[in-house]
Amino acid sequence: QAGLTQPPSVSKGLRQTATLTCTGNSNNVGNEGAAWLQQHQGHPPKLLSYRNHNRPSGISERFSASRSGNTASLTITGLQPEDEADYYCSAWDSSLSAQVFGTGTKVTVL
Amino acid sequence: QLQLQESGPGLVKPSETLSLTCTVSTGSVTSNSHYWGWIRQPPGKGLEWIGSIFYSGNTYYNPSLKSRVTISVDTSKNQFSLKVTSVTAADTAVYYCAREADDYDSWGQGILVTVSS
């Protein structure tokens, strides 16, 4: 099953801005966009952004999502120590009739 | 707040069938707005979507797992279940159940299933 491509790691300083990318194709990201999830070690994933870029209740405004063509992005502003986690994108693939996940990006706050 | 809880054996022998159940609390599997899904994560690796089900019984499966996977729903118990047949060590993972409201917005805590003799 084809997945979505994410950079393995991103490292930024405290209070800096990190931008994570997620590349798919016209059948998934380019079609309906991508959702973003955060996962801390030993915990289940948590939804940060719906594919329509809306944030679920309780999610900080420091997390914002966007899309350009077949690439989705998640921007984290004012990085905090608690933002250290793995981040995954996900999208519905209309050609596969299946959900696909990204490979995941580990964010390190220096 | 919606709660989901996975349950089932933590150890399964190779070639046997893995069976898990997800119990939904403070919510209903008969919701018209949601699918209910299973996602797994091998130790140290990323997320893999297994499949999802609507309360009517309509299902979608990961094409790479479709031949071995069955997801079912029991509306009387407010549960949905996963079966994976002919398991191997590659099926060792934390298995999560989750609610899909356009995207997966509520997750269970996960259950580690190890395939080993």
Side-chain angles (χ1 to χ4, degrees), chain B residues 54-95:
Chain B
F54 195 61
Y55 78 93
S56 63
N58 189 46
T59 53
Y60 290 98
Y61 294 121
N62 183 327
S64 67
L65 298 171
K66 188 174 184 176
S67 63
R68 299 193 295 126
V69 169
T70 301
I71 297 176
S72 58
V73 63
D74 187 335
T75 56
S76 66
K77 295 182 179 179
N78 217 29
Q79 297 175 333
F80 59 105
S81 299
L82 170 70
K83 291 188 186 298
V84 182
T85 61
S86 305
V87 298
T88 68
D91 294 307
T92 294
V94 174
Y95 285 75

Side-chain angles (χ1 to χ4, degrees), chain B residues 3 5 19 21 48 51-52 57 74 98 101-102 107-108 112 114:
Chain B
Q3 292 187 339
Q5 181 67 57
S19 296
T21 296
E48 180 180 34
S52 61
D74 187 335
D102 289 331
W107 294 66
L112 174 62
T114 301

Side-chain angles (χ1 to χ4, degrees), chain A residues 1-6 22-25 28 89 93 96 100-103:
Chain A
Q1 178 187 9
L4 309 175
T5 301
Q6 298 181 247
C22 167
T23 302
N25 59 44
N28 43 60
C89 57
D93 191 299
L96 298 172
V100 289
F101 283 99
T103 49

Side-chain angles (χ1 to χ4, degrees), chain B residues 33-51:
Chain B
S33 304
H34 304 116
Y35 269 74
W36 305 89
W38 288 96
I39 299 100
R40 70 182 183 179
Q41 185 171 36
K45 297 187 178 180
L47 302 169
E48 180 180 34
W49 182 74
I50 300 171

